[in-house]
Amino acid sequence: MISEIFSEAFITGIIGATLRISTPIILATLGEIITERSGVLNLGIEGTMLFGAAVGFLVTFATGSLWLGVLAAAIGGMLLALLMAVLSVYLGLSQHVSGLGITIFASGLAMFIYRLAVGAPIVPPTVDPFTPVAIPLLSKIPIIGPSFFNQYILTYITWILIPVVSVFLFRTKPGLRIRTVGQNPFAADTVGVNVNLTRTLCVVTGGAFFGVAGAFLTLAYQNMFLIDVIGGRGWIAIAMTIFGNWNPVMGTVGALIFGFLDALQLRMQTLGVELPFHIFLMIPYVITIVALVSVSRKATVPAGLLKPYRREEKGG
Amino acid sequence: MIGMSIVKRKPLPGWVRILLPAAAVFVTLIITAIPILLAGGNLWKAYSTLIYGALGTRFNLLETFVKASPLILTGLAVSFAFRARFWNIGAEGQLLAGAVAATWAGVYFTWLPSFLLLPVVIIMGFAAGGLWAAVPAFLKTRLKVDDVVTTLLLNYVMIHIMGALLFGPMQEPGSSWPRSPEIMQGAFYPVLLARSRFHFGIPMAFLMVLVIWFINTKTVFGYQAKGVGVNIRAARFGGINTGRVILKTALISGGLAGLAGVGEVCAIQYHLLMEISPGYGYTGIVIAMLGNLHPVGVALVAFFFSIINVGAQTMGRMTGVPTYIVGVMEGVALMVMLIFLLLTEYKIRWKRS
């Protein structure tokens, strides 16, 4: 068994699986980081992802086009995020409760629409999913090639988005504006930034990320829609946002740790190793809680998070 | 361009607040008519079969009570915590903790005299839920860790603890399914009405409504918890040990959710299963908000949610409208209520700029 674990095939397999499993979590985490940097905690993430998974699947199922499915998932996610923005930004309602409301609403709607479209067949319908695309030359490198450079296009896009989001938030003017809105909306308003509009744009952008993250699960990772397809990945992304200190690169590291543990657990099961795999699945949550304890001592939380901005109520 | 601003308004009379949930329910039914119509359902038939399915026959009515009891308990759990601004999103995990503890005692405490078994099972379930909620409360008060995220994450930790137990030491011998052995007969909740599942846990849930109402309005602790919720700094200056109040609140809140888990094991399934709760803990959050964090409001809303849950089964069979409409209704109801609550304190002013 030991020799199996250190074989080349096993290592490539596990790296490849880690990257696949972490893709939707990285995407969702990036979306949540953009959202929270502007001062909004979007707990609608879990439901928005399920909605993206359902809509993406159904559009592809109906049209046969995978990319139309991805587009539909992004638009669906943006619409739900817009609703979130209306409730929490413009009306200034509790971000916690509006987010949970969106999750409950979107989950119900996703399953409702899915049932309506396909009925309740014994075998769930499937689509021809995305297939991995080998990058010429690079994919020939031993171990690294087949694991890193034989992935889904959505995974490559996700990896390009990590530096893009990072540079955008920390090295550009709009990024600075977003962070100011999240840190000190009153100061941002004073220098002429439209706080509510900025927040809405960030929430809606985040929604697109959530929707596509959900669609990845039904169009690439699997080829069907199941009710528990998201399985708490949205909450994991919330945790990774905090774990990563609201920084895309660190958030990705967290998502990779999660992906690795999940991949390892899956491989061990297929090898027939008797492992309490639930203990494995629990580790990322426990690590995150421990990370929360250490984060809470530092003041990296966007200071304006959770606070609706009302110009009339300075300091309120 | 038209701008919008939100300004405080004069307090509305008390009767408006009481009528609010009813108005929210009404608006919700109007909004959810859209997906029902899109599903090709006849609106009148859909809503009437919904009501008939939940209340129309003796059995259905009693089933609605059966379904209401865990919802009342999780709704109370969340409302009690929210009242003190302990943001307990973790009722689901606390419910599971209660279910695990109840199963453990119910299956393995064979040495207990049988008349003691049920009380021990209930107490263990309450304690397990309470302790599981005490963890995030401790992290919040001692280490200033955000309670929303920790309570949420602890739900998943508990799911996986349960999974590890059900695939391991608590798995029914000879079974390949993740489920526990059946609990002993002595741990069953007595059925109170023949030819139904109307069990002991239902009057207990209603009793808890009274208990929480009593704690809230008639005890020093109830006032302190309220004080902590309204203004924690003022409460501290007023000499209240806020950390202790939050910890006690968490113990009671988690305990109530734990009781919901005990009920699912001892009155419905008699085994512990991974699917023991269809998300009662999360629904409890919606119920608490709709019930305006008031125990009586919680009981009424929980009963209403039970009606749509039980009734949707009949509606689904009779009209072909998918039962998942329930989730849509719950989400819409929550958002409508949030907006209504906002409008009791603020008014929206449109202006041209």
Side-chain angles (χ1 to χ4, degrees):
Chain A
M1 195 193 85
I2 294 294
S3 62
E4 267 179 81
I5 289 177
F6 289 102
S7 73
E8 193 183 311
F10 186 85
I11 295 173
T12 15
I14 218 144
I15 297 175
T18 300
L19 294 180
R20 270 195 304 282
I21 293 171
S22 54
T23 299
I25 298 168
I26 297 174
L27 261 182
T29 306
L30 290 176
E32 187 68 27
I33 288 174
I34 298 171
T35 308
E36 290 194 27
R37 276 286 178 182
S38 79
V40 181
L41 170 73
N42 190 353
L43 290 181
I45 183 170
E46 180 85 7
T48 308
M49 285 175 74
L50 190 68
F51 192 73
V55 169
F57 175 83
L58 288 174
V59 167
T60 300
F61 185 64
T63 64
S65 161
L66 288 162
W67 288 106
L68 267 183
V70 172
L71 182 70
I75 294 172
M78 288 163 88
L79 288 175
L80 285 168
L82 188 64
L83 182 58
M84 174 70 191
V86 169
L87 294 175
S88 65
V89 177
Y90 285 102
L91 295 179
L93 295 169
S94 151
Q95 292 179 8
H96 293 145
V97 187
S98 359
L100 289 167
I102 299 272
T103 281
I104 291 169
F105 169 72
S107 307
L109 196 61
M111 296 187 284
F112 182 82
I113 292 175
Y114 178 77
R115 259 301 118 75
L116 216 53
V118 305
I122 296 163
V123 183
T126 55
V127 292
D128 286 329
F130 281 104
T131 45
V133 176
I135 292 182
L137 295 175
L138 288 175
S139 62
K140 298 283 182 284
I141 307 170
I143 298 183
I144 295 173
S147 54
F148 281 86
F149 299 109
N150 190 18
Q151 293 282 352
Y152 304 112
I153 294 186
L154 282 173
T155 302
Y156 297 130
I157 294 177
T158 302
W159 279 83
I160 294 169
L161 281 171
I162 300 164
V164 169
V165 172
S166 207
V167 168
F168 172 73
L169 279 176
F170 296 104
R171 295 274 181 273
T172 68
K173 264 222 167 113
L176 176 66
R177 230 174 280 151
I178 290 169
R179 285 183 294 126
T180 315
V181 163
Q183 201 68 35
N184 190 343
F186 300 98
D189 193 14
T190 316
V191 296
V193 178
N194 186 333
V195 173
N196 287 348
L197 182 67
T198 310
R199 286 186 167 176
T200 301
L201 289 175
C202 289
V203 172
V204 170
T205 309
F209 280 67
F210 304 159
V212 175
F216 177 87
L217 290 164
T218 46
L219 297 178
Y221 191 68
Q222 288 170 6
N223 59 350
M224 59 175 91
F225 176 82
L226 299 170
I227 282 164
D228 56 352
V229 61
I230 307 299
R233 285 180 175 84
W235 307 134
I236 286 277
I238 297 271
M240 291 313 147
T241 304
I242 301 165
F243 176 85
N245 256 328
W246 291 267
N247 179 324
V249 176
M250 288 306 293
T252 301
V253 171
L256 285 173
I257 295 174
F258 178 85
F260 172 74
L261 289 169
D262 202 5
L264 191 64
Q265 171 271 121
L266 285 170
R267 294 279 141 157
M268 293 301 210
Q269 268 190 51
T270 46
L271 282 182
V273 182
E274 284 282 332
L275 260 185
F277 65 93
H278 278 281
I279 302 287
F280 268 67
L281 293 175
M282 195 163 76
I283 294 172
Y285 296 97
V286 176
I287 292 180
T288 307
I289 292 171
V290 173
L292 278 168
V293 174
S294 60
V295 166
S296 66
R297 285 153 188 275
K298 293 179 269 175
T300 35
V301 189
L305 196 65
L306 300 176
K307 298 185 187 105
Y309 177 67
R310 291 192 183 118
R311 195 182 272 178
E312 297 79 8
E313 293 174 22
K314 287 232 156 84
Chain B
M1 218 178 108
I2 296 174
M4 181 194 97
S5 68
I6 292 177
V7 286
K8 279 232 179 211
R9 69 157 53 172
K10 288 192 201 100
L12 291 169
W15 59 266
V16 176
R17 299 194 135 257
I18 294 170
L19 279 181
L20 218 57
V25 165
F26 184 70
V27 173
T28 303
L29 291 180
I30 292 175
I31 295 177
T32 46
I34 300 168
I36 289 177
L37 290 173
L38 287 179
N42 171 320
L43 205 58
W44 169 248
K45 201 178 167 202
Y47 282 144
S48 59
T49 47
L50 184 99
I51 300 295
Y52 177 78
L55 307 171
T57 67
R58 174 181 181 274
F59 184 79
N60 292 1
L61 175 65
L62 294 178
E63 275 301 291
T64 302
F65 274 100
V66 170
K67 192 85 177 173
S69 71
L71 294 175
I72 291 175
L73 289 168
T74 53
L76 280 180
V78 176
S79 66
F80 193 70
F82 278 20
R83 194 168 162 272
R85 297 244 166 160
F86 170 55
W87 298 112
N88 184 7
I89 314 293
E92 184 77 5
Q94 292 139 23
L95 181 155
L96 297 178
V100 168
T103 309
W104 185 48
V107 172
Y108 302 106
F109 284 14
T110 46
W111 41 269
L112 264 181
S114 63
F115 70 95
L116 270 179
L117 187 60
L118 190 54
V120 167
V121 162
I122 292 174
I123 292 168
M124 295 249 319
F126 187 93
L131 289 174
W132 197 243
V135 175
F138 176 82
L139 292 175
K140 176 191 170 91
T141 55
R142 290 297 163 85
L143 301 167
K144 302 210 180 331
V145 185
D146 180 44
D147 39 352
V148 173
V149 181
T150 46
T151 50
L152 193 57
L153 293 179
L154 284 169
N155 288 341
Y156 284 86
V157 176
M158 187 45 75
I159 287 174
H160 292 308
I161 289 178
M162 194 169 88
L165 289 171
L166 286 182
F167 279 101
M170 273 175 99
Q171 190 168 30
E172 185 169 29
S175 167
S176 56
W177 286 93
R179 75 169 200 178
S180 75
E182 190 171 274
I183 56 170
M184 287 177 274
Q185 292 261 340
F188 286 18
Y189 275 7
V191 173
L192 303 178
L193 294 172
R195 288 174 291 115
S196 80
R197 297 199 294 176
F198 191 96
H199 57 79
F200 164 74
I202 296 163
M204 189 171 73
F206 282 101
L207 178 69
M208 286 301 150
V209 174
L210 285 181
V211 170
I212 295 302
W213 174 80
F214 182 82
I215 294 178
N216 282 351
T217 54
K218 305 282 174 207
T219 67
V220 175
F221 171 66
Y223 278 108
Q224 288 179 336
K226 174 103 187 173
V228 169
V230 171
N231 189 336
I232 190 163
R233 251 180 255 154
R236 202 172 290 141
F237 283 127
I240 297 174
N241 183 341
T242 54
R244 256 180 76 169
V245 169
I246 291 174
L247 199 63
K248 263 171 139 178
T249 303
L251 283 169
I252 294 174
S253 167
L256 290 167
L259 285 184
V262 177
E264 291 312 288
V265 171
C266 298
I268 309 294
Q269 305 287 357
Y270 307 121
H271 296 261
L272 184 64
L273 315 162
M274 290 306 282
E275 303 79 24
I276 194 84
S277 163
Y280 288 133
Y282 298 107
T283 313
I285 300 165
V286 186
I287 292 173
M289 290 308 296
L290 276 170
N292 228 334
L293 308 188
H294 191 285
V296 176
V298 164
L300 291 174
V301 175
F303 198 77
F304 168 69
F305 271 35
S306 182
I307 290 174
I308 55 177
N309 267 289
V310 175
Q313 308 298 326
T314 311
M315 179 176 80
R317 269 197 312 277
M318 306 284 283
T319 65
V321 175
T323 52
Y324 295 113
I325 191 73
V326 171
V328 179
M329 277 187 179
E330 290 176 0
V332 171
L334 177 61
M335 289 187 265
V336 170
M337 184 66 181
L338 278 177
I339 294 173
F340 277 23
L341 281 175
L342 177 85
L343 293 180
T344 58
E345 280 179 53
Y346 295 90
K347 49 188 170 187
I348 296 175
R349 202 177 271 162
W350 302 93
K351 59 184 174 205
R352 265 167 229 265
S353 57

